[in-house]
């Protein structure tokens, strides 16, 4: 019986001392968040100072000319996870897993679809990466 009380007292002391030692901050500050999902793919448009973020199954384009006061310029949902983007002039190419490859109007707030290569119904075929040749 004395042994169990001893272990209970030691456990209680250790339990409360661990919480005091591991406390880091009293409040958390949010740096930023893109709704939709985790930022799986990110691309930087250095000419226009825009950040292209593939958040789960959506694309968000941010104006980053003033990073402390950034704003959302455009966004579009998809049916597949965004794996890759490539910007060519005013066309934003997007690889969205089993949803396919899209060509989007980069100047449009809704990123209007210019062309779509549909991969649904092609079995395990999916768009995970892209490359361009002979610009």
């Amino acid at each position: 019986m004395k042994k169990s009380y001893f272990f209970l007292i030691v456990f209680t002391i250790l339990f409360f001392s661990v919480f005091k030692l591991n406390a880091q901050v009293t409040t958390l500050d949010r740096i930023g968040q893109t709704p939709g999902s985790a930022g799986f793919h990110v691309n930087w448009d250095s000419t226009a100072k825009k950040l292209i973020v593939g958040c789960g199954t959506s694309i968000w384009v941010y104006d980053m000319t003033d990073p402390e006061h950034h704003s959302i310029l455009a966004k579009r949902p998809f049916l597949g996870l965004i794996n890759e983007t490539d910007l060519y002039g005013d066309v934003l190419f997007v690889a969205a897993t089993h949803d396919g490859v899209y060509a989007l109007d980069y100047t449009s707030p809704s990123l209007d679809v210019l062309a779509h290569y549909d991969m649904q119904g092609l079995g395990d075929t999916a768009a995970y990466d892209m490359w361009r040749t002979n610009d």
Side-chain angles (χ1 to χ4, degrees), residues 6-60:
F6 174 74
F7 285 119
L8 180 63
I9 291 170
V10 170
F11 176 76
T12 305
I13 291 170
L14 286 174
F15 182 77
F16 286 107
S17 66
V18 166
F19 278 110
K20 286 198 173 233
L21 291 175
N22 288 332
Q24 296 174 0
V25 295
T26 54
T27 60
L28 295 176
D29 293 327
R30 179 178 290 177
I31 296 171
Q33 176 183 2
T34 302
S37 184
F40 183 75
H41 174 75
V42 178
N43 202 347
W44 173 246
D45 177 2
S46 59
T47 305
K49 302 267 191 264
K50 294 179 183 177
L51 186 65
I52 303 164
V53 181
C55 355
T57 59
S58 62
I59 285 283
W60 294 60

Side-chain angles (χ1 to χ4, degrees), residues 104-118:
L104 307 175
D105 181 1
Y106 188 56
T107 62
S108 166
S110 59
L111 298 170
D112 296 333
V113 176
L114 302 173
H116 176 217
Y117 180 76
D118 190 2

